[in-house]
Amino acid sequence: ERGGNNSFTHEALTLKYKLDNQFELVFVVGFQKILTLTYVDKLIDDVHKEFRDKYRNEFQQKGTLGLLNGTFDFKDDFMRLLRDAEESSKVRAPTVMKTFEQSLKSQKTVKCMIETRGEKPKEKVKNKKNKGSKKEGTEAVAAPGKASAGDKQPSAAGEKEELTKDEILQKNREEFFKRHMKAGEKSRSPKPEAQKEKGKKPRVWDLGNSNAKVLDYSNSATNGSAEACPMEEFDPDIALGDRNREPGRLYDLEYESDDEAEEEKVIQNPSKPSTKKGGLGGMFGMLKGLVGSKSLTREDMDPVLEKMKDHLIAKNVAAEIALQLCESVAKKLEGKVMGTFTTVTSTVKQALQEALVQILQPQRRVDVLRDVMDAQRHRRPYVVTFCGVNGVGKSTNLAKISFWLIENGFSVLIAACDTFRAGAVEQLRTHTRRLNALHPPESHGGRTMVQLYEKGYGKDAAGIAMEAISYARNQGFDVVLVDTAGRMQDNAPLMTALAKLIAVNAPDLVLFVGEALVGNEAVDQLVKFNKALADHSMAQTPRLIDGIVLTKFDTIDDKVGAAISMTYITSKPIVFVGTGQTYCDLRSLNAKAVVAALMKA
């Protein structure tokens, strides 16, 4: 129902169903999957209509008790409908091809199909005619101008005839000199009072460091291990952001809905009586948009659903998913009896909100802290692999999750398996240095809380991840976070390499990192990542994406549709939400807050 599908396949059987919302009935037909029965939809529609019409009075009088306690003799009717459906599928004659006389080509004459050299198609001739007409128009506009200039010329010629030849030459010379003098004055620029100093001064940034020696890491002989990395002194307020937060707590997303403000406005501005119309006219006008005790039809809902679909697409929900959501809501509401003072718009909106909240609430909740403690009891590290396309923030959000785990008392080993992108290892090394500065070993009984495992560039990522997990098991690390290279979903060799890394190392959690800025692209990315992991895996039950990290959530205001698109496609939960640049800008998803932002006008 979530996807708008009306069929379910289990082993060798396929079930199709139809809902009757008015009487709260479900009609189900079952058949073997290998059979291609073309009459199934017709059969279920006919049975639904026949059964409902036959026992309508009984449903209305007795209600639910009548359904539970009643006996329905419908076998003969069903067999008749089944025979009719089977016969109707056989009766259909195969489609016959058109004869030449029935086709449009037969109506063309031979003359219209002959093309002679030099002759251009009619469309081009038409365009030329249009261009010619434009030229004629411009010439017509230019003609009065020429005529006016022509009027002035005789008067000027008359003046010249009165002057002598010497006077005319003198006058022309004066005009010539005047023109050149003016041009010379314009071209001359005033001399600068003080000449600018030659050479270019280096720009000094406000947040930069003027001492270049501090930034020079060229003589550093570190190999990426946490012990060898020097401690870095920096302002913790910049890295942490909010100092009043509770350490180790993952806060929910917050969003202030406008509903409360609207309610206050309604209370402050009570409805004034209509002055234009009489009392009865105003009352009837108010009741005009209300539906009283009638069942909803598709015609009632279509205009509202169309607006809702456009609204969802404008909020970055993928177009295909917005359409399927509206179809699902329509099926759920069709035939439902509404209350006396309820509008169609409010009913549809309420049903859509419930459907959106249901989509965002996961079928299986991912509790990372609980799973890490469970792995601790089995004396093994808990392994998390991050994957996604280029530039979505995998390394940055990996560092945020590391900080959150450290604050909850777990030691972290970061595996630098992005051996492709230039600067990827150095970025993780910097994060490791900063995290160790925020949580030095002295604060944790001499235990190093975060360490980087790296083997440089150009190596096999799956092999590095395997070595990192083995190292973490021997050294007693609680969590291994595996950073992978960004890759486009269409790049088959890189997707094969990712599937190999996941299949060989069998991580406990595979997180897809996606940015909240995307719309339709989110669907394509997730579908193809999941398909690639399934296709290129060597196991019978391949590991697919377990959860989603939604990044750059602070850049989209209320256009939160990517969250709906991603969870709808995979039915997997959004485990973390990145909301900024500091280590504390990590949130858990609040479904109601996201839906409130999505439904905001």
Side-chain angles (χ1 to χ4, degrees):
E1 185 198 12
R2 173 186 281 186
N5 297 324
N6 64 340
S7 63
F8 172 73
T9 303
H10 177 69
E11 293 178 359
L13 291 177
T14 297
L15 302 178
K16 279 200 170 187
Y17 71 90
K18 185 174 183 181
L19 302 176
D20 186 327
N21 292 307
Q22 186 176 357
F23 298 121
E24 296 182 352
L25 298 172
V26 184
F27 295 86
V28 186
V29 58
F31 56 94
Q32 289 185 7
K33 186 171 69 173
I34 58 170
L35 299 177
T36 53
L37 303 179
T38 56
Y39 58 81
V40 170
D41 292 325
K42 182 183 184 309
L43 175 65
I44 200 167
D45 288 338
D46 292 346
V47 169
H48 167 226
K49 188 178 178 183
E50 186 90 11
F51 189 83
R52 186 185 60 185
D53 293 346
K54 188 172 183 179
Y55 298 105
R56 180 187 292 273
N57 295 330
E58 196 169 340
F59 298 150
Q60 289 175 342
Q61 289 170 8
K62 298 181 182 179
T64 312
L65 288 172
L67 285 172
L68 295 173
N69 301 326
T71 55
F72 303 101
D73 184 15
F74 196 70
K75 186 175 181 181
D76 295 336
D77 297 319
F78 172 73
M79 295 306 295
R80 175 175 52 80
L81 292 171
L82 179 60
R83 281 195 302 273
D84 292 345
E86 287 174 347
E87 289 298 323
S88 67
S89 66
K90 292 175 185 176
V91 167
R92 289 179 186 173
T95 55
V96 182
M97 287 181 65
K98 285 182 180 179
T99 61
F100 178 73
E101 285 74 18
Q102 293 172 336
S103 66
L104 292 172
K105 197 171 183 181
S106 66
Q107 297 171 12
K108 291 183 178 180
T109 60
V110 177
K111 188 179 178 182
C112 72
M113 289 190 276
I114 295 172
E115 289 186 9
T116 56
R117 282 190 179 181
E119 188 179 340
K120 293 183 180 178
K122 289 183 178 178
E123 289 181 6
K124 292 185 178 178
V125 173
K126 283 182 184 177
N127 291 339
K128 275 211 163 187
K129 283 182 182 177
N130 293 338
K131 286 179 182 176
S133 62
K134 284 181 184 176
K135 281 182 182 177
E136 287 170 12
T138 52
E139 283 172 8
V141 172
K146 287 178 183 177
S148 61
D151 292 341
K152 289 180 182 177
Q153 282 173 2
S155 62
E159 287 175 8
K160 284 183 181 179
E161 282 174 4
E162 292 174 3
L163 299 170
T164 62
K165 286 183 179 180
D166 294 335
E167 286 174 349
I168 291 168
L169 283 170
Q170 186 66 27
K171 193 175 182 182
N172 289 341
R173 277 180 195 148
E174 286 173 4
E175 286 176 1
F176 178 77
F177 282 121
K178 277 181 185 176
R179 283 200 299 268
H180 276 273
M181 287 294 287
K182 283 179 183 177
E185 284 174 7
K186 285 179 184 177
S187 63
R188 287 175 196 166
S189 58
K191 291 182 180 179
E193 294 175 0
Q195 286 187 348
K196 292 181 180 178
E197 293 179 11
K198 291 182 179 179
K200 191 175 180 181
K201 288 185 179 180
R203 178 176 288 182
V204 180
W205 299 98
D206 295 335
L207 298 175
N209 198 325
S210 58
N211 188 2
K213 290 182 180 177
V214 178
L215 303 174
D216 186 12
Y217 292 103
S218 58
N219 296 326
S220 174
T222 61
N223 62 356
S225 62
E227 291 80 13
C229 287
M231 287 294 179
E232 185 175 328
E233 293 183 3
F234 65 99
D235 186 5
D237 288 337
I238 297 171
L240 298 180
D242 185 12
R243 299 289 290 178
N244 299 321
R245 64 188 177 77
E246 184 182 331
R249 182 180 171 186
L250 193 65
Y251 289 89
D252 284 343
L253 271 176
E254 293 178 359
Y255 180 79
E256 293 180 3
S257 176
D258 293 340
D259 293 345
E260 295 177 6
E262 286 175 7
E263 285 174 11
E264 288 175 8
K265 284 181 183 177
V266 169
I267 293 165
Q268 288 173 4
N269 304 321
S271 56
K272 295 177 183 178
S274 176
T275 54
K276 292 182 181 177
K277 296 183 180 178
L280 286 172
M283 179 63 73
F284 284 124
M286 185 182 73
L287 294 174
K288 192 176 179 182
L290 303 178
V291 181
S293 298
K294 66 165 277 190
S295 59
L296 270 174
T297 62
R298 190 60 186 259
E299 288 74 22
D300 295 332
M301 293 184 287
D302 276 343
V304 181
L305 287 170
E306 189 64 29
K307 286 182 181 177
M308 289 290 178
K309 185 189 78 174
D310 294 341
H311 177 77
L312 290 173
I313 292 170
K315 290 297 180 85
N316 251 5
V317 178
E320 183 187 347
I321 289 169
L323 183 64
Q324 289 178 6
L325 271 169
C326 291
E327 284 293 323
S328 177
V329 168
K331 285 183 180 177
K332 188 177 178 182
L333 291 178
E334 194 170 2
K336 184 179 178 183
V337 178
M338 296 172 58
T340 309
F341 290 96
T342 312
T343 61
V344 178
T345 306
S346 62
T347 306
V348 173
K349 190 175 179 181
Q350 182 66 30
L352 186 61
Q353 280 181 333
E354 289 171 3
L356 292 170
V357 171
Q358 185 185 359
I359 287 167
L360 288 172
Q361 286 175 341
Q363 296 173 357
R364 182 182 76 87
R365 186 166 177 266
V366 176
D367 192 335
V368 176
L369 297 180
R370 180 196 61 196
D371 293 343
V372 172
M373 286 189 280
D374 186 53
Q376 271 184 332
R377 283 194 291 273
H378 291 88
R379 295 184 180 179
R380 65 175 184 83
Y382 183 77
V383 183
V384 183
T385 300
F386 294 81
C387 62
V389 300
N390 310 67
V392 292
K394 290 184 292 298
S395 302
T396 304
N397 284 275
L398 181 145
K400 291 180 189 178
I401 293 167
S402 300
F403 177 77
W404 173 67
L405 289 167
I406 293 164
E407 291 220 320
N408 281 283
F410 299 114
S411 58
V412 178
L413 180 69
I414 299 172
C417 294
D418 184 355
T419 61
F420 180 75
R421 177 171 64 91
V425 177
E426 286 76 11
Q427 182 183 1
L428 292 175
R429 189 179 293 151
T430 302
H431 280 307
T432 305
R433 191 184 295 119
R434 286 204 156 197
L435 290 168
N436 276 319
L438 289 168
H439 286 276
E442 298 81 40
S443 305
H444 297 274
R447 185 186 182 193
T448 303
M449 295 304 289
V450 59
Q451 190 171 331
L452 177 68
Y453 190 91
E454 54 102 352
K455 291 288 183 181
Y457 295 96
K459 306 287 178 18
D460 179 37
I464 294 173
M466 184 183 286
E467 291 175 22
I469 294 166
S470 176
Y471 179 81
R473 189 181 290 108
N474 296 333
Q475 297 296 320
F477 281 93
D478 300 318
V479 185
V480 179
L481 302 181
V482 181
D483 184 33
T484 62
R487 63 205 75 211
M488 293 308 292
Q489 64 269 23
D490 300 317
N491 193 326
L494 290 179
M495 294 306 296
T496 308
L498 178 66
K500 176 191 169 186
L501 186 147
I502 291 170
V504 167
N505 295 289
D508 298 284
L509 187 65
V510 179
L511 292 178
F512 175 83
V513 185
E515 57 186 6
L517 300 165
V518 294
N520 291 323
E521 185 69 10
V523 179
D524 190 50
Q525 287 174 7
L526 272 163
V527 167
K528 287 187 177 174
F529 260 80
N530 255 339
K531 187 175 184 298
L533 292 179
D535 291 348
H536 301 301
S537 177
M538 294 165 280
Q540 285 188 341
T541 53
R543 282 298 305 278
L544 303 179
I545 292 165
D546 299 315
I548 299 163
V549 179
L550 196 60
T551 65
K552 305 179 187 179
F553 209 79
D554 54 319
T555 63
I556 55 168
D557 192 26
D558 58 354
K559 290 180 172 56
V560 295
I564 297 291
S565 301
M566 289 183 179
T567 48
Y568 188 91
I569 284 296
T570 58
S571 299
K572 301 298 180 185
I574 294 175
V575 185
F576 299 105
V577 180
T579 58
Q581 297 296 321
T582 67
Y583 289 133
C584 294
D585 291 327
L586 195 69
R587 299 285 183 271
S588 62
L589 188 81
N590 183 353
K592 290 184 178 178
V594 172
V595 172
L598 196 65
M599 300 304 291
K600 180 185 174 184

